[in-house]
Amino acid sequence: MTSTTDASSTRQSYTVPTHINEPDKLLFGLTARQLLVLITGASVVYAVWLQVLSWAMAWGLDLLWSRGLALLIVLPLLLVTLASTFVQIADRSLELWAVVWMRAHLAPTTYVWRSAKWDEAEQRALQARKRARTQQHEQGLDELEREEV
């Protein structure tokens, strides 16, 4: 008995990736970027917390007032860290929006001077081109109507 193996009879299945543009989740459902921003922000917040506590204690404030002052100073930093970690606008992170805003405001603005005569001449040429296109369009419609009749 002879057995022939036909390539078409054995089918191979492949898994097609559907989440190519999705970043990988590393820890607790956070991406690498989110994890890095969160760890960096938490480190800065903790360092500022300790620094403010030591300064407040050196100024002679008791522990309760020192903690209150430290909390008031650290709270905005904590909120900025959480916002930059989790908030996205138009599928872009807040730090990307900050870079775009800085580039737009720090880039030099270029002004181009044009003569008023040039603008008038350019405007007349533009209107003439529009009129020519409209006439061509109307002529084409007239020809179509004649063909239909």
Side-chain angles (χ1 to χ4, degrees), residues 33-53:
R33 183 200 69 82
Q34 288 176 322
L35 198 59
L36 185 63
V37 169
L38 197 60
I39 289 172
T40 305
S43 300
V44 170
V45 165
Y46 185 66
V48 170
W49 171 268
L50 291 178
Q51 194 66 39
V52 171
L53 272 180

Side-chain angles (χ1 to χ4, degrees), residues 41-93:
S43 300
V44 170
V45 165
Y46 185 66
V48 170
W49 171 268
L50 291 178
Q51 194 66 39
V52 171
L53 272 180
S54 66
W55 285 345
M57 297 295 274
W59 290 336
L61 294 176
D62 63 346
L63 187 61
L64 182 63
W65 286 103
S66 299
R67 286 184 180 170
L69 179 64
L71 182 65
L72 284 176
I73 292 175
V74 165
L75 192 61
L77 293 174
L78 183 65
L79 292 176
V80 167
T81 298
L82 292 174
S84 62
T85 301
F86 297 111
V87 175
Q88 289 190 346
I89 300 172
D91 291 330
R92 290 182 174 86
S93 59

Side-chain angles (χ1 to χ4, degrees), residues 1-53:
M1 180 181 257
T2 60
S3 65
T4 59
T5 45
D6 189 11
S8 63
S9 66
T10 60
R11 293 186 181 201
Q12 295 180 348
S13 63
Y14 298 97
T15 303
V16 178
T18 57
H19 58 283
I20 293 174
N21 292 331
E22 297 274 330
D24 293 332
K25 307 287 184 188
L26 295 180
L27 187 66
F28 304 118
L30 297 175
T31 63
R33 183 200 69 82
Q34 288 176 322
L35 198 59
L36 185 63
V37 169
L38 197 60
I39 289 172
T40 305
S43 300
V44 170
V45 165
Y46 185 66
V48 170
W49 171 268
L50 291 178
Q51 194 66 39
V52 171
L53 272 180

